[in-house]
Amino acid sequence: AQTVTQSQPEMSVQEAETVTLSCTYDTSENNYYLFWYKQPPSRQMILVIRQEAYKQQNATENRFSVNFQKAAKSFSLKISDSQLGDTAMYFCAFDSGGTASKLTFGTGTRLQVTL
Amino acid sequence: DADVTQTPRNRITKTGKRIMLECSQTKGHDRMYWYRQDPGLGLRLIYYSFDVKDINKGEISDGYSVSRQAQAKFSLSLESAIPNQTALYFCATSDFGRDTGELFFGEGSRLTVL
């Protein structure tokens, strides 16, 4: 079974600074998908960014980017120019894709953006 | 209106009561999921369904049951609620045709069992 580990339960960053959230996973699959979801205080789950394992290029979405290291099974999220609205829980998730597709989530990192 | 709708949004009940959480979606997706969120544990999969006639247990299915009444509806039942089932429950959908694994979530149902 796949596992996803987020080793940072809480992090804090000042507004306009850059922060990196860590995620590692364990799998024997070669093709799979990785995700970062954001959960603000409203508790809605919002997709931040997605990475396909077969793509070597790291995914980016505006201020959000990932550092995908397939050999190391690492998938970190970098948030640049942090904003107060980035305050949220962030979950890393893994999906093997295909017919048995279902997401496995990490335990989350609570990010606080301060003035 | 939300694409994935959960009812109720919040519920307080007593130990031993039967509870049903309902989920409906207008996205036209075949696949539906129920997750449970607990502090420090992330989201854990309870049950999932890939079509109306397909029901599968997730990692924490004990104490729960589900019903897929139609492509758009997927209900989660707690036959006899207990306090450690107090949690935030999410319904989600995905589109197999796209095969990317992305989930689309409802707004969550917070359940408190006293």
Side-chain angles (χ1 to χ4, degrees):
Chain A
Q2 290 84 6
T3 59
V4 178
T5 301
Q6 294 180 249
S7 59
Q8 305 153 313
E10 296 184 350
M11 295 192 71
S12 180
V13 63
Q14 287 192 320
E15 197 176 24
E17 298 296 307
T18 295
V19 64
T20 299
L21 308 184
S22 300
C23 173
T24 59
Y25 57 94
D26 186 25
T27 184
S28 58
E29 304 281 344
N30 188 48
N31 294 318
Y32 48 87
Y33 303 89
L34 295 162
F35 304 84
W36 279 97
Y37 279 86
K38 169 185 177 180
Q39 186 182 43
S42 66
R43 82 190 192 195
Q44 181 67 39
M45 293 288 289
I46 302 165
L47 178 66
V48 175
I49 201 164
R50 170 178 54 215
Q51 175 80 44
E52 290 90 347
Y54 62 86
K55 292 184 178 179
Q56 293 186 342
Q57 186 173 5
N58 289 324
T60 63
E61 288 287 343
N62 300 313
R63 298 182 295 107
F64 298 88
S65 61
V66 298
N67 183 6
F68 173 48
Q69 301 290 327
K70 190 172 184 179
K73 297 181 181 177
S74 172
F75 183 60
S76 60
L77 175 69
K78 186 172 79 171
I79 305 174
S80 303
D81 186 25
S82 296
Q83 301 175 359
L84 294 177
D86 296 333
T87 293
M89 280 289 290
Y90 287 82
F91 293 100
C92 179
F94 171 98
D95 182 24
S96 60
T99 58
S101 174
K102 56 186 185 295
L103 258 65
T104 299
F105 287 85
T107 53
T109 296
R110 184 174 299 281
L111 177 66
Q112 181 71 46
V113 181
T114 60
L115 292 170
Chain B
D1 289 340
D3 293 325
V4 183
T5 303
Q6 293 183 230
T7 56
R9 293 291 312 280
N10 298 284
R11 180 74 181 268
I12 299 173
T13 191
K14 295 182 178 180
T15 297
K17 294 292 187 181
R18 184 177 187 274
I19 294 296
M20 179 180 287
L21 306 180
E22 299 183 330
C23 177
S24 62
Q25 52 115 346
T26 58
K27 298 192 73 67
H29 291 168
D30 291 324
R31 300 185 168 197
M32 298 187 74
Y33 308 79
W34 276 104
Y35 282 88
R36 166 179 173 161
Q37 182 181 357
D38 298 278
L41 297 179
L43 280 77
R44 293 178 292 165
L45 184 61
I46 306 172
Y47 271 96
Y48 59 103
S49 169
F50 287 168
D51 65 42
V52 175
K53 297 181 180 181
D54 176 76
I55 300 290
N56 304 281
K57 293 182 177 180
E59 60 180 305
I60 55 164
S61 59
D62 287 349
Y64 301 94
S65 62
V66 291
S67 173
R68 184 82 184 265
Q69 301 95 324
Q71 185 204 35
K73 295 184 181 295
F74 192 38
S75 299
L76 176 72
S77 293
L78 290 68
E79 296 300 327
S80 180
I82 57 177
N84 76 0
Q85 291 178 313
T86 292
L88 180 60
Y89 291 85
F90 281 102
C91 175
T93 71
S94 70
D95 183 357
F96 174 66
R98 293 179 57 198
D99 199 29
T100 62
E102 179 183 350
L103 293 182
F104 297 84
F105 285 86
E107 294 175 312
S109 297
R110 183 169 298 283
L111 176 65
T112 302
V113 183
L114 301 177

